[in-house]
Amino acid sequence: MSRQCPKCLTKEYNNRNMVMMINECGHPLCKNCVETIFARNVAPCHQCGKTLKKNTFWEQMFDDPMIEKENFIRKKLKKIYNLKEDDFPSLREFNDYLERFETIIFNLTNGIDVAETELEVKEFQIRNAELIERNRKRLDADDLWIKEMLEEESMRVKRLQDEAMLENTVPSNESKAKQIINELRQTDLPAEVILDRQRKLQIEAELAEKEAAKKKKEAKIVQQRRMQETASFGPLRTAGAPYVHRVPELPLNGPKLPRIEDLANLGYLSHIRMPSVGRVAGGYVAEIGCMRALIDSRQDLCT
Amino acid sequence: MFSLEELQGIRNQANQDYKARYSDVLEPGDEEMFLKPEEEGLLCKIVAETGLRFGDDFRPAIWPSVRWIAFTYFKRFFLRHSTMEYSPKNIMMACYYLAAKVDEFNISIDEFLVNLRSGTPQGNAETILTLEPELMLKLDYHLTVHSPFRSFEGFLIEMKARLQLGFDLEQIRDHSTRFFKRALIGDCLLLYSPSQITLAAVKYGLQQCEKEEIMKDYLAKIFEIDTWKSDPEDVKKMEGLAQRIDQIIEFVFEQAKPIDSEANGSLQDRMREWGTFSARIEQRRQAASGNPNSNELSDDDL
């Protein structure tokens, strides 16, 4: 990774933040130089003189500029040469086509017969215009498989969710039927009234379900958005019971202690050594020492 | 908390266990040679007195809390182990060293060894350093010991603050220090909580200064008992406490009775006998366990 800008000669060693940019002609430039030279958006390439535009530069990923150049050409031509296997009468012809594609790319990358190759590409484009247009939308066999897998996955998740919901609602269905039968038997109301009522209840329940499902979806979307916005720095803990502070008890087993606030007024502190300024600065007050002595004297006195 | 009989029972048990270990190599009549629990107790007491003197003579002067901690370790150790197995003197040295470390009294092993008068510095160093982890292990790693000295300060502060004293309370300090020293010889640190021992020391000090009634006032004050409104629970507690501290004072002085020289002399003889005897049965033990090994070797050679 020892790239060097050919123009300003800074190496990665000198400027750790140096970003190499490269263009279609395959000659790299560091980002600062791009800004400088292409201040007017159009300028000749410093190595080959070809007219370039500032916005056609991209960040160089590979050390070898030829790779970048080839990738660029390949991507461009793939949009034109997008025929699939079943566009050809035989496998042999498909393979020939593929080989021709590679040869074209090789020629263009290495600057062999550039003009002729370009002409060939143009002719191909004109000749197979409809096929190209049609294949733009089609998916490859591989893509199809991926899509199938994804769909299956989502189906599975949905199925599990439905089952979970079903478990919750199955008993209620049975009990509802029983309820209806009981009512029909016991009360004197005409059957239609009862059934109407049940139907109304059912419709309301369904509406409520739909609303609940919608709310869940919205909540999920909101949560997703929030997750994207916030960065989580650790595992999210589930909330438990809220913390209630209980003052810790001192099991003294002896007579009661005076409170720490009262120590000064009761005159204890006058009989203990005053701490030095350094100690007080560290947070030690005479009450602490006094309290400690008192606790020790009271502890376990009544066992 | 134990009672004195229970303590003695535990010590007897330790004695028995040690004897049982050698049961396979004992010959008739050897039973007599083992130290009896009373002799062990006497030995511990002698070593304790020596230990006290050691603490007094130690240069640089160690804190009394270090001494208290060392003695606590010593007593706890020999509660469960027999003096026949570990030499009390070595254990006492190791206890002092460990106590200095635990109480953060900074002293290096070399400075420590200067104070030891018997044995070579090298040998002593080795003994102490090897015994130290073993001592910790046998103490179950309970290395925190509550010494009574902070409680003592607490009591003094409180008395000065709360009571209308007619006299300088500091006078009792010397007497109480003597009391603590006496207390170290006996078992009271195994039987009573440190705050109670301290209160007993305060009372003793007051007794020596003939101001004993202050103790009663003090107890009433801290239990918040007035003559006209008193909670019977608290009164009971207070009286129980007063009884307890009298008990402790009695106990300490009983345990601290000096050993008469006759018993001392006979014990010395017994120790010598025991020394030779233990070497003998150790040899026997080695031979007994060593023989099968040697047989195996010769078998292998075949």
Side-chain angles (χ1 to χ4, degrees):
Chain A
M1 287 287 282
S2 51
R3 298 188 194 169
Q4 189 174 23
C5 170
K7 189 78 191 195
C8 62
L9 301 176
T10 46
K11 296 204 282 283
E12 274 204 357
Y13 181 70
N14 300 358
N15 173 12
R16 204 166 294 185
N17 300 333
M18 182 177 81
V19 175
M20 274 307 230
M21 311 287 278
I22 194 167
N23 207 322
E24 213 184 298
C25 62
H27 297 125
L29 266 186
C30 81
K31 196 163 185 174
N32 297 338
C33 286
V34 169
E35 302 278 333
T36 323
I37 295 179
F38 288 79
R40 294 187 180 213
N41 277 349
V42 181
C45 167
H46 64 103
Q47 270 165 315
C48 62
K50 193 159 152 210
T51 343
L52 298 171
K53 287 201 261 199
K54 183 166 159 196
N55 57 6
T56 48
F57 274 89
W58 66 88
E59 187 179 333
Q60 184 181 358
M61 187 158 49
F62 301 104
D63 281 349
D64 187 355
M66 295 310 272
I67 301 178
E68 298 274 352
K69 189 172 174 185
E70 181 177 332
N71 278 349
F72 175 76
I73 292 172
R74 190 181 289 273
K75 268 189 232 164
K76 201 169 63 167
L77 291 185
K78 193 75 175 106
K79 294 207 188 92
I80 299 173
Y81 282 79
N82 62 356
L83 304 180
K84 306 280 191 291
E85 184 173 347
D86 36 11
D87 290 329
F88 292 89
S90 74
L91 184 62
R92 178 65 204 245
E93 299 199 20
F94 181 53
N95 287 338
D96 286 343
Y97 155 81
L98 287 177
E99 265 201 60
R100 190 64 218 159
F101 180 52
E102 293 298 323
T103 320
I104 290 174
I105 291 189
F106 184 79
N107 286 350
L108 287 176
T109 311
N110 296 356
I112 305 171
D113 303 335
V114 176
E116 295 167 8
T117 321
E118 297 256 351
L119 205 57
E120 185 184 334
V121 170
K122 277 235 171 51
E123 281 181 13
F124 181 87
Q125 192 171 11
I126 296 170
R127 213 178 320 129
N128 308 7
E130 313 135 19
L131 272 179
I132 294 171
E133 184 60 38
R134 202 180 55 178
N135 280 337
R136 259 182 29 182
K137 291 300 168 74
R138 259 177 60 177
L139 292 166
D140 228 352
D142 294 321
D143 289 324
L144 269 174
W145 183 81
I146 292 175
K147 201 164 156 209
E148 256 178 59
M149 288 287 114
L150 286 174
E151 274 185 25
E152 228 180 274
E153 179 79 42
S154 57
M155 287 295 295
R156 205 184 324 144
V157 168
K158 194 162 174 299
R159 216 182 313 139
L160 285 174
Q161 268 183 354
D162 284 342
E163 268 185 28
M165 267 183 39
L166 205 59
E167 274 180 17
N168 296 342
T169 54
V170 153
S172 54
N173 274 345
E174 284 185 1
S175 62
K176 247 196 257 168
K178 268 207 191 132
Q179 245 185 344
I180 297 177
I181 294 177
N182 275 340
E183 275 207 66
L184 285 171
R185 218 188 305 150
Q186 287 169 353
T187 62
D188 286 333
L189 291 172
E192 291 99 6
V193 175
I194 295 177
L195 286 176
D196 257 337
R197 193 171 5 122
Q198 290 301 337
R199 234 171 271 142
K200 241 194 265 177
L201 282 175
Q202 218 177 348
I203 294 177
E204 279 176 18
E206 277 175 18
L207 277 176
E209 254 190 55
K210 272 199 212 128
E211 273 216 39
K214 221 198 310 178
K215 270 208 195 110
K216 238 204 299 184
K217 258 201 205 156
E218 282 177 14
K220 232 208 274 182
I221 293 177
V222 167
Q223 198 199 22
Q224 271 181 356
R225 212 177 295 150
R226 212 184 300 151
M227 295 268 294
Q228 281 175 352
E229 289 172 16
T230 64
S232 64
F233 292 110
L236 295 169
R237 251 173 270 128
T238 53
Y243 172 69
V244 176
H245 179 69
R246 281 195 200 86
V247 179
E249 273 185 47
L250 181 63
L252 204 50
N253 233 345
K256 274 207 319 231
L257 274 175
R259 290 186 329 177
I260 197 162
E261 304 87 24
D262 297 335
L263 284 183
N265 340 350
L266 291 172
Y268 283 88
L269 294 185
S270 44
H271 301 290
I272 195 169
R273 198 171 47 191
M274 278 294 126
S276 65
V277 179
R279 296 270 163 88
V280 174
Y284 179 83
V285 280
E287 276 91 338
I288 298 179
C290 190
M291 208 57 186
R292 227 173 142 201
L294 286 180
I295 290 179
D296 254 19
S297 67
R298 295 252 205 297
Q299 179 108 44
D300 282 339
L301 208 49
C302 294
T303 48
Chain B
M1 299 268 273
F2 297 115
S3 72
L4 196 53
E5 296 80 35
E6 289 175 19
L7 284 188
Q8 201 51 42
I10 299 178
R11 290 197 176 114
N12 291 349
Q13 184 63 39
N15 191 306
Q16 292 283 37
D17 289 338
Y18 185 74
K19 278 195 212 156
R21 274 203 257 162
Y22 284 93
S23 54
D24 47 346
V25 284
L26 282 186
E27 292 162 12
D30 283 345
E31 284 283 323
E32 299 298 309
M33 297 299 282
F34 282 106
L35 288 177
K36 293 191 211 37
E38 303 84 35
E39 295 173 328
E40 288 197 337
L42 198 54
L43 180 60
C44 282
K45 213 161 165 188
I46 296 180
V47 178
E49 299 218 336
T50 323
L52 275 182
R53 277 200 300 274
F54 176 69
D56 284 334
D57 297 336
F58 201 92
R59 294 287 162 265
I62 58 168
W63 306 329
S65 52
V66 176
R67 188 164 60 186
W68 189 274
I69 296 175
F71 269 78
T72 315
Y73 290 161
F74 183 73
K75 293 213 187 299
R76 286 182 189 170
F77 183 83
F78 280 113
L79 194 57
R80 306 223 182 253
H81 300 84
S82 154
T83 53
M84 297 187 267
E85 193 177 352
Y86 299 93
S87 154
K89 228 169 31 134
N90 294 342
I91 296 285
M92 181 57 97
M93 291 197 287
C95 285
Y96 261 102
Y97 189 62
L98 187 60
K101 275 199 194 163
V102 166
D103 205 22
E104 304 203 0
F105 179 76
N106 195 342
I107 187 164
S108 71
I109 184 83
D110 299 313
E111 292 174 20
F112 189 82
L113 290 173
V114 168
N115 285 288
L116 293 173
R117 265 172 284 139
S118 64
T120 65
Q122 205 120 357
N124 282 340
E126 215 182 289
T127 323
I128 295 179
L129 292 176
T130 37
L131 275 179
E132 200 185 334
E134 194 167 345
L135 175 65
M136 281 200 279
L137 175 68
K138 301 293 183 188
L139 288 172
D140 245 349
Y141 297 100
H142 292 311
L143 296 175
T144 320
V145 169
H146 295 284
S147 56
F149 301 100
R150 204 180 297 140
S151 331
F152 188 66
E153 301 298 328
F155 281 126
L156 286 189
I157 294 173
E158 191 151 23
M159 285 189 170
K160 286 186 214 165
R162 286 293 203 83
L163 302 174
Q164 266 76 11
L165 303 165
F167 82 123
D168 180 17
L169 202 53
E170 295 291 323
Q171 290 178 2
I172 66 172
R173 222 177 253 269
D174 282 329
H175 300 291
S176 300
T177 323
R178 258 190 310 128
F179 183 86
F180 282 132
K181 241 177 107 170
R182 291 269 130 245
L184 279 178
I185 300 179
D187 284 334
C188 89
L189 51 80
L190 290 175
L191 294 170
Y192 300 105
S193 77
S195 53
Q196 289 173 345
I197 302 179
T198 317
L199 205 50
V202 170
K203 178 153 186 191
Y204 174 76
L206 289 172
Q207 274 175 344
Q208 299 298 93
C209 296
E210 285 152 23
K211 294 279 182 180
E212 203 175 320
E213 56 282 0
I214 295 185
M215 178 53 80
K216 269 232 194 102
D217 291 336
Y218 175 65
L219 284 180
K221 257 286 168 58
I222 55 175
F223 279 100
E224 290 170 10
I225 295 172
D226 285 327
T227 40
W228 38 96
K229 72 158 166 125
S230 51
D231 186 1
E233 278 290 324
D234 284 340
V235 174
K236 229 193 313 179
K237 276 195 215 159
M238 188 187 97
E239 306 206 331
L241 186 58
Q243 269 180 354
R244 181 62 76 80
I245 53 184
D246 285 329
Q247 224 178 7
I248 295 179
I249 298 182
E250 238 182 77
F251 183 78
V252 165
F253 281 108
E254 198 187 300
Q255 295 263 308
K257 283 211 197 71
I259 315 159
D260 53 337
S261 47
E262 200 184 286
N264 204 338
S266 64
L267 189 60
Q268 299 272 25
D269 294 330
R270 282 286 282 126
M271 286 307 290
R272 244 172 291 139
E273 280 177 13
W274 161 250
T276 45
F277 174 68
S278 74
R280 246 189 314 153
I281 54 173
E282 195 56 40
Q283 256 181 350
R284 269 187 241 160
R285 161 78 85 69
Q286 294 283 11
S289 58
N291 267 338
N293 290 349
S294 50
N295 278 343
E296 272 178 41
L297 277 175
S298 50
D299 281 347
D300 282 344
D301 283 344
L302 283 174

